Amino acid sequence: MRTYLLAGLGLLAFTTSASAGPADVNAQAFYADAQQLMGKGMRAMFDKRTKPRMAQLKAAAELAKAENERATAMGQPIYCVSDAERKMGLNANAVVAMLGAVPESDRRRMTLAHAWRAALIRKYPCR
């Protein structure tokens, strides 16, 4: 329960409007807000930004997954996640760390969708 709650807390929060999609959300703003929500602990679940932001991250993840599936069908996957890692999934700390691994200068000019794609490529390179 705590992992699920933390995932809900820290995954998604940013300073854009709640109706913005992953292509509209600035990655640095998302990252800064996600860190702020992680610092709130359990109280982050009561933050009005949490649910809409979770939906935006989910949408960014779905975009990256669809793109990778198309590329894989053509024989050139963008990122490669092992079955074991896929089954384990990611918690909020891992998601924030992955986005944090993308250089801040890049995050400042990227959308959430692009930053998440870059984070996946960095974390799960195809060898």
Side-chain angles (χ1 to χ4, degrees):
M1 175 75 173
R2 184 170 192 261
T3 301
Y4 175 75
L5 203 50
L6 283 176
L9 298 177
L11 280 179
L12 302 154
F14 7 171
T15 59
T16 60
S17 72
S19 63
D24 302 325
V25 177
N26 178 271
Q28 178 60 28
F30 173 86
Y31 178 71
D33 282 350
Q35 286 185 310
Q36 182 183 42
L37 284 179
M38 292 293 289
K40 283 183 147 185
M42 297 295 286
R43 291 180 295 137
M45 286 307 289
F46 301 106
D47 192 303
K48 66 182 177 181
R49 301 171 296 171
T50 300
K51 283 186 182 183
R53 305 319 183 225
M54 287 175 61
Q56 290 170 337
L57 184 60
K58 182 178 179 184
E62 289 172 358
L63 286 172
K65 181 179 179 183
E67 183 180 5
N68 193 46
E69 287 173 351
R70 285 191 304 273
T72 300
M74 295 184 338
Q76 298 177 328
I78 299 168
Y79 59 90
C80 299
V81 180
S82 72
D83 288 335
E85 290 171 314
R86 192 177 310 275
K87 286 180 184 178
M88 283 187 352
L90 295 171
N91 63 25
N93 291 330
V95 169
V96 173
M98 285 173 64
L99 287 172
V102 176
E104 184 177 345
S105 60
D106 293 344
R107 282 194 316 263
R108 287 189 180 283
R109 62 177 194 267
M110 294 174 123
T111 64
L112 175 59
H114 288 107
W116 184 244
R117 181 184 185 274
L120 289 168
I121 292 168
R122 180 181 292 260
K123 174 87 171 165
Y124 304 110
C126 296
R127 298 190 200 308

